[in-house]
Amino acid sequence: MPHDHDDAGGSELDPMAARVMALETILTEKGLVDPAALDALVELYETQIGPRNGARVVAKAWVDPEFAAWLGEDATAAIASLGYGGRQGEHMRAVFNTPETHNLVVCTLCSCYPLPVLGLPPVWYKSPPYRSRAVIDPRGVLAEFGVALPAGTAIRVWDSTAELRYLVVPMRPAGSEALDEAGLAALVTRDSMIGTGLALRP
Amino acid sequence: MNGAQDLGGQAGFGRVAPEADEPVFHGRWEGRMLALNLAAGAMGAWSIDETRHARESLPPAEYLSSSYYAIWLKALERLLVRHGFVSAEELAAGHALGPGAVPKRVLAAGEAAAMIARGAPYARDPGGRAPGFAAGEPVRTVVMHPLGHTRLPRYARGKLGRIEAVQGFHVLPDSNAHGRGEAPEWLYTVVFAAEELWGRDGEPGATVSIDAWESYLERA
């Protein structure tokens, strides 16, 4: 249910809810939208399309060097081979973290995000603090996520200004050698695939 | 346009505030808003570029004080009125008052998943047009301040960078957002040193890339 939120301002939510409901009423009465289609779309993003998809992609890349190479060359096709693709993932690029380079993804101009692999973006990703600072103070932003990179690791920020969508492949954590793909996928957080986090340690 | 949406490098917004165990939607209305946006877009009357431009055209104070789904709502209302599907009077009344524009199609429930799975690729056939730049080449972004839509952020205008990759032949938002045709161009990933973008406030060794259409770039 609606509740206070830094980004939205609690007092705004109820009028917004009423206004959205009114718009749905108008469009339904005019035959421009089918409420059952709205139900289907909500359910899709609530149950099917989320960061576990991306975690599966990353875990496979960790255990399968051929898949990792394919992901590097043609991420859209490699990701599609696992069953993920479509809206806002039409032109995927995978970027791989290394000890030398840490990748961080932002959309300074709106909220572009690789929906098929990560689902809907969190509020902070769409909000001014992250969008304004990720490009000018990435190390400071990472610190706010509790991520402290070694001084020798350079940061590469990807501003999603076109229709390319970026998936960060975090480094496989030490101590994960014995895990299978499902066990590895459990270590892959959403934030680690945006670049604001690292993969969990087992 | 130099609107409130062009946030890169601005200061004063405070710390990033990640929310623990954030739900997919904060209230039912957000999910309905997402779905309304998709279903209305499926009528085929406007492009994603026109949608983005409608959002960034909100007055800056309103843009910055609205949650993201509230921005979506306000922009969708404008698009529906602009294209004649809904009138301002209907928005005020909260009910349909009369007929409006007829959509090319109405999304049926059974088609929703397929539409999302299909997506809407933005790459086009270059038809023999070769890219003007090659990976590794130095380039300078143009300086421009269009009143209309562009995807070249202010912080990256007039800056010296390097082509990292040729990314395909893509629809140009600057044209498509205004109904002037797709006007596709070659698209490149261009990488900049942080110090080129931010001067002495850039972190040595850090880099930032944007994806830039060919008309955003000049030979350096």
Side-chain angles (χ1 to χ4, degrees):
Chain A
M1 288 308 291
H3 63 268
D4 271 355
H5 201 282
D6 284 343
D7 179 57
S11 63
E12 183 187 55
L13 287 178
D14 286 336
M16 279 300 132
R19 204 159 144 185
V20 170
M21 210 184 294
L23 187 61
E24 182 177 338
T25 301
I26 296 166
L27 296 181
T28 304
E29 287 173 350
K30 300 190 87 158
L32 299 174
V33 304
D34 174 358
L38 305 182
D39 296 341
L41 289 165
V42 170
E43 192 191 337
L44 204 56
Y45 282 101
E46 276 186 329
T47 65
Q48 303 291 314
I49 302 176
R52 292 300 92 208
N53 299 358
R56 207 178 137 219
V57 174
V58 170
K60 187 164 178 65
W62 283 347
V63 300
D64 181 344
E66 270 184 37
F67 180 79
W70 189 18
L71 191 61
E73 284 158 20
D74 186 350
T76 313
I79 291 169
S81 76
L82 298 182
Y84 313 127
R87 186 173 178 277
Q88 290 297 305
E90 295 93 340
H91 308 285
M92 288 296 305
R93 301 289 183 272
V95 294
F96 296 74
N97 285 348
T98 66
E100 292 76 36
T101 306
H102 179 89
N103 296 286
L104 180 71
V105 179
V106 64
C107 174
T108 62
L109 296 174
C110 51
S111 61
C112 297
Y113 195 71
L115 299 187
V117 283
L118 296 190
L120 295 169
V123 168
W124 60 258
Y125 183 87
K126 302 182 281 188
S127 299
Y130 184 72
R131 287 167 53 195
S132 61
R133 288 176 47 226
V135 284
I136 190 170
D137 182 23
R139 213 171 281 265
V141 166
L142 288 178
E144 287 167 21
F145 283 88
V147 175
L149 298 173
T153 301
I155 301 179
R156 165 64 180 275
V157 183
W158 301 78
D159 191 356
S160 314
T161 55
E163 293 302 318
L164 308 180
R165 296 290 169 266
Y166 293 96
L167 176 72
V168 175
V169 180
M171 285 191 289
R172 180 172 174 166
S176 64
E177 293 75 12
L179 294 174
D180 64 7
E181 240 177 273
L184 289 169
L187 304 178
V188 183
T189 63
R190 176 198 66 201
D191 288 2
S192 75
M193 295 182 279
I194 302 172
T196 54
L198 307 176
L200 303 175
R201 290 176 175 277
Chain B
M1 63 180 282
N2 295 343
Q5 91 291 351
D6 191 355
L7 284 165
Q10 287 196 50
F13 293 108
R15 292 168 64 89
V16 181
E19 179 184 347
D21 301 318
E22 181 173 339
V24 176
F25 299 115
H26 298 78
R28 181 177 181 275
W29 75 275
E30 291 192 349
R32 297 315 274 183
M33 185 58 236
L34 171 87
L36 279 172
N37 192 63
L38 292 167
M43 295 193 298
W46 54 77
S47 64
I48 193 168
D49 301 306
E50 187 175 347
T51 305
R52 290 197 182 112
H53 185 55
R55 293 172 187 161
E56 71 199 18
S57 296
L58 290 173
E62 186 170 6
Y63 183 95
L64 292 171
S65 57
S66 299
S67 74
Y68 215 76
Y69 284 113
I71 292 172
W72 282 27
L73 170 67
K74 293 167 186 179
L76 180 59
E77 288 176 344
R78 287 177 172 215
L79 289 168
L80 288 163
V81 172
R82 180 187 300 167
H83 290 270
F85 293 110
V86 168
S87 68
E89 292 73 25
E90 287 175 318
L91 291 176
H95 281 284
L97 299 173
V102 176
K104 290 181 204 163
R105 64 190 86 86
V106 172
L107 182 70
E111 298 165 351
M115 177 188 79
I116 298 302
R118 199 166 50 242
Y122 256 40
R124 297 293 179 263
D125 179 358
R129 275 175 65 182
F133 301 105
E137 261 192 82
V139 288
R140 187 174 293 279
T141 51
V142 299
V143 174
M144 60 171 172
H145 294 276
L147 295 175
H149 187 59
T150 187
R151 296 292 289 180
L152 180 60
R154 257 176 295 184
Y155 76 82
R157 295 178 191 164
K159 301 297 184 186
L160 183 63
R162 182 176 51 78
I163 302 278
E164 189 170 75
V166 183
Q167 296 284 19
F169 194 70
H170 282 225
V171 174
L172 179 69
D174 309 48
S175 172
N176 202 41
H178 300 286
R180 295 197 294 261
E182 294 193 332
E185 294 184 0
W186 284 99
L187 179 72
Y188 306 88
T189 296
V190 181
V191 63
F192 308 91
E195 291 154 300
E196 168 70 9
L197 299 176
W198 313 112
R200 65 187 186 184
D201 294 309
E203 179 184 310
T207 51
V208 178
S209 65
I210 63 168
D211 296 319
W213 281 262
E214 194 157 289
S215 57
Y216 294 0
L217 303 173
E218 295 169 344
R219 211 163 293 283

